[in-house]
Amino acid sequence: MGDSTVTTLEGREPAAAIPVEETTGTGRLRRLRAPRRPRLWFEILLIAVSYATYSLVRNAVPEQRAEALRNADLIWRLEGQLGTAFEESVNHAVNSVTWLVVGMNYYYATLHFVVTLGVLVWLYRRHPGRYAATRLVLFVTTGFALVGFYLFPLAPPRLMNGQNFIDTVLVHQTWGSMASGDMKNVSNQYAAMPSMHIGWSLWCGLTLFALASVPWVRVLGLVYPVLTLVVIVATANHFWLDAVGGVLCLAVGYGVALAWYGRRPSALPRRVPEPAAPPAPEHVPLQKQP
């Protein structure tokens, strides 16, 4: 009665010990940070909801016209003191070449969305392991821009009082800026700082330069944000200092991604390894009873 008997089953392996970190907060955090294969349906839903939310929030910011115009005068005076108030000269020079300014109007209205979505699709297909981290940079950049729209309402140069800027969309009657013509009633005209045309185009350019394998695509990645800067100034939709604001927002986005993943997005593995399949149970032939 006092002796305890321990019965072991032959051929059965002992249960594997569960790593301690898997049950701790550190283990869960590590799993959240680990690159994972993006799911198409989730990414489409996330991008659609995020852009709709961005548009709603951006347009819900009160149109503080008086403050926005005062801030525009402040920016213009600051650029004058720096000797860099060149926007009006560029605006008039480009406006004198009809085919060029019309092309810039359409560039401003379309490429902002088309190229950004195209880079996202390319990342999803060719660099799935880096997709989530790079997408995080874009989302954080856009989120900080919304804060800028709220805290610093700013009129674009074409809406300034007492200046001679030309609204190229109105003059040439092209479909262009959401803040010109009939579309101005559904878009916040005083959300110019920071410039997301620059924030998004620089995100696209740096992503292509860091990850593309074709040399001319990498060069195009560097040229794209430079051309975008020329366009936003030439069409009188932004001051060049708005572009600086876009760059700062993008820097915050990269900082958040670096802090979360511990590495630059481009330094993450290109592809996420497939999850290992569980080992097949070993087949043990039955022995005949004597």
Side-chain angles (χ1 to χ4, degrees), residues 9-200:
L9 299 179
E10 294 182 359
R12 177 171 296 181
E13 295 181 357
I18 300 176
V20 175
E21 73 169 21
E22 294 298 323
T23 61
T24 64
T26 302
R28 286 192 294 270
L29 184 59
R30 180 174 297 179
R31 289 197 301 274
L32 287 173
R33 288 175 168 176
R36 62 191 65 197
R37 185 173 299 278
R39 293 166 291 179
L40 181 60
W41 67 268
F42 176 78
E43 293 303 326
I44 293 175
L45 180 62
L46 179 63
I47 291 172
V49 171
S50 299
Y51 182 72
T53 303
Y54 165 76
S55 299
L56 287 173
V57 173
R58 182 182 187 273
N59 296 331
V61 174
E63 290 196 357
Q64 305 174 57
R65 182 175 182 275
E67 183 177 357
L69 289 172
R70 285 196 300 270
N71 287 337
D73 290 336
L74 175 65
I75 292 290
W76 188 240
R77 288 197 304 271
L78 175 60
E79 290 188 355
Q81 292 170 1
L82 295 174
T84 57
F86 53 78
E87 289 91 343
E88 188 173 307
S89 299
V90 174
N91 176 234
H92 282 259
V94 171
N95 186 69
S96 65
V97 184
T98 302
W99 65 266
L100 180 60
V101 70
V102 168
M104 286 189 174
N105 284 343
Y106 288 123
Y107 181 114
Y108 184 87
T110 59
L111 294 192
H112 180 50
F113 306 103
V114 173
V115 175
T116 304
L117 285 175
V119 172
L120 280 170
V121 172
W122 175 75
L123 277 170
Y124 178 88
R125 291 176 59 86
R126 301 295 298 273
H127 297 267
R130 298 160 177 160
Y131 175 86
T134 313
R135 186 244 290 142
L136 176 63
V137 175
L138 182 65
F139 279 28
V140 172
T141 299
T142 306
F144 268 81
L146 291 175
V147 177
F149 299 154
Y150 185 85
L151 295 179
F152 193 78
L154 179 66
R158 57 186 173 76
L159 293 181
M160 291 181 67
N161 295 325
Q163 301 300 328
N164 196 27
F165 284 99
I166 300 170
D167 188 332
T168 58
V169 171
L170 289 179
V171 169
H172 297 277
Q173 299 182 350
T174 57
W175 177 79
S177 171
M178 288 288 290
S180 294
D182 295 334
M183 298 304 294
K184 65 184 179 182
N185 295 323
V186 295
S187 179
N188 184 358
Q189 300 186 78
Y190 306 114
M193 171 66 86
S195 168
M196 279 299 91
H197 273 75
I198 292 300
W200 288 10

